[in-house]
Amino acid sequence: MNLKQRTFLLVTGASRGIGREFAHQLSGQIKAKGSVVALLGRNQALLEEAKTQILNSEPNLAVHTYSLELSTARTEDFTKILETARGGNGDFERAIVIHNAGTVGDTSKRAKEIGDTLFLQQYYHINVFSAIALNCEFMRLFQGIPKLVVNLSTLAAIAPISSMAHYCTVKAAREMYFRVLATEEAAPETLVLNYAPGVIDTQMTVQVQREAHDPAIVAMFREQREGKTMLTPAQTTARFIQVLEAQKFKSGDHVDYRDETY
Ligand SMILES: NC(=O)c1ccc[n+]([C@@H]2O[C@H](COP(=O)([O-])OP(=O)(O)OC[C@H]3O[C@@H](n4cnc5c(N)ncnc54)[C@H](OP(=O)(O)O)[C@@H]3O)[C@@H](O)[C@H]2O)c1
């Protein structure tokens, strides 16, 4: 994949963790004049930090930040952000969207205890509905140019994990949406990748370690963190870029950090 083309890149959850590192490292690959980077999150101060970090190494990029609450975001919010970030310049050679924003849900609850519909609505809105709505607007506004659509997936999308009933169900639904998209849209014009980044030292795994009801899950995260075998955002992002460069995946594939076939 030629990342040196004039590119529009949008990353959700770019204020911290994996999304911030994806935005940073991908921006370092996208050097063509006229490229645009759009960073979404809620915390404006952290988004501005992420922007500064990118501009320090890539001063020629146009970097925009947008604060948006994904639990209530509407289709029109995504349209507005995409149109504003794209600006008058529809002249991109490639558009990339990284659907990274995500939340782990309430890991203190067992599957039989997660029936609160208000919580479920908000939780699914953040993790599934917003990703689908953003993606539909992205596909519409960038029709006619090559697109790369990346979903931050996880082992939890394809395997049941105790304490993670919320998380497993949204991640499975979200991955299936992107797999259907891949079956309907021709590659390589639209290339879809479900990337499972491994277990990463971010606020998300700190939260699981603090709150999970299953002691085995808590112990697993603690051992990885204390034993320093937990991956860093930088490590998984570097692997993601390798996967893109090697491009051995088929559109829609689930590619895990540790899967050496990719
Ligand atoms: N960490 C892991 O081990 C791991 C493993 C597999 C998959 N993943 C996936 O990788 C992605 C990133 O995870 P991470 O570990 O980097 O998580 P993180 O450190 O908790 O960061 C989550 C990001 O999502 C944004 N976000 C959260 N709630 C939001 C909301 N309501 N509205 C708008 N933005 C929101 C946050 O930004 P603000 O706080 O600024 O809103 C933040 O930038 C997730 O999709 C996760 O499922 C992570």
Side-chain angles (χ1 to χ4, degrees):
M1 178 168 304
N2 179 5
L3 289 171
K4 308 277 181 274
Q5 293 171 312
R6 200 163 45 259
T7 299
F8 179 91
L9 167 68
L10 182 143
V11 183
T12 68
S15 54
R16 58 185 154 91
I18 298 169
R20 177 158 171 174
E21 190 61 31
F22 261 58
H24 185 222
Q25 287 197 33
L26 282 172
S27 296
Q29 304 278 326
I30 296 166
K31 292 183 185 294
K33 201 164 174 279
S35 294
V36 166
V37 177
L39 308 176
L40 264 66
R42 282 171 306 183
N43 187 320
Q44 189 60 42
L46 290 181
L47 287 171
E48 287 304 319
E49 258 182 33
K51 172 178 171 174
T52 304
Q53 189 187 15
I54 291 172
L55 288 175
N56 281 344
S57 39
E58 302 301 331
N60 295 326
L61 286 177
V63 184
H64 307 293
T65 61
Y66 301 93
S67 176
L68 182 66
E69 169 55 66
L70 292 178
S71 66
T72 50
R74 317 284 307 176
T75 304
E76 308 82 82
D77 298 321
F78 297 118
T79 317
K80 200 164 143 199
I81 286 172
L82 285 166
E83 281 177 344
T84 312
R86 189 180 61 167
N89 176 9
D91 192 19
F92 296 102
E93 294 168 292
R94 178 179 300 282
I96 303 176
V97 60
I98 311 285
H99 295 284
N100 165 78
T103 55
V104 77
D106 187 347
T107 55
S108 74
K109 290 200 163 52
R110 307 169 78 88
K112 66 181 180 183
E113 297 168 338
I114 64 162
D116 176 345
T117 52
L118 268 185
F119 187 94
L120 286 169
Q121 270 168 12
Q122 273 205 346
Y123 184 64
Y124 272 68
H125 202 119
I126 295 170
N127 290 284
V128 184
F129 306 158
S130 281
I132 293 175
L134 167 60
N135 198 63
C136 292
E137 289 309 280
F138 174 81
M139 295 297 294
R140 188 173 68 78
L141 289 167
F142 290 99
Q143 62 189 327
I145 65 164
K147 288 177 280 299
L148 172 67
V149 175
V150 178
N151 172 39
L152 262 289
S153 186
T154 161
L155 175 65
I158 55 171
I161 300 177
S162 166
S163 300
M164 298 203 179
H166 277 133
Y167 189 63
C168 288
T169 56
V170 293
K171 286 300 197 182
R174 182 158 143 172
E175 174 148 338
M176 186 52 81
Y177 166 76
F178 286 106
R179 286 178 57 195
V180 173
L181 180 79
T183 65
E184 292 176 346
E185 304 304 317
E189 288 78 20
T190 299
L191 207 49
V192 181
L193 174 59
N194 288 294
Y195 178 66
V199 181
I200 317 295
D201 191 359
T202 64
Q203 286 185 29
M204 183 176 279
T205 52
V206 169
Q207 187 186 340
V208 177
Q209 191 177 327
R210 192 178 57 227
E211 296 174 0
H213 72 75
D214 187 336
I217 297 291
V218 174
M220 185 187 80
F221 279 78
R222 189 191 318 111
E223 277 158 27
Q224 289 197 25
R225 198 179 311 280
E226 290 173 2
K228 309 256 180 261
T229 54
M230 204 174 258
L231 297 166
T232 63
Q235 282 173 308
T236 198
T237 309
R239 172 76 182 116
F240 167 76
I241 289 173
Q242 259 178 13
V243 169
L244 278 191
E245 284 172 350
Q247 219 181 115
K248 293 185 192 156
F249 65 91
K250 285 198 314 299
S251 188
D253 276 356
H254 174 102
V255 174
D256 190 273
Y257 174 88
R258 295 193 190 280
D259 188 341
E260 288 175 5
T261 51
Y262 298 98

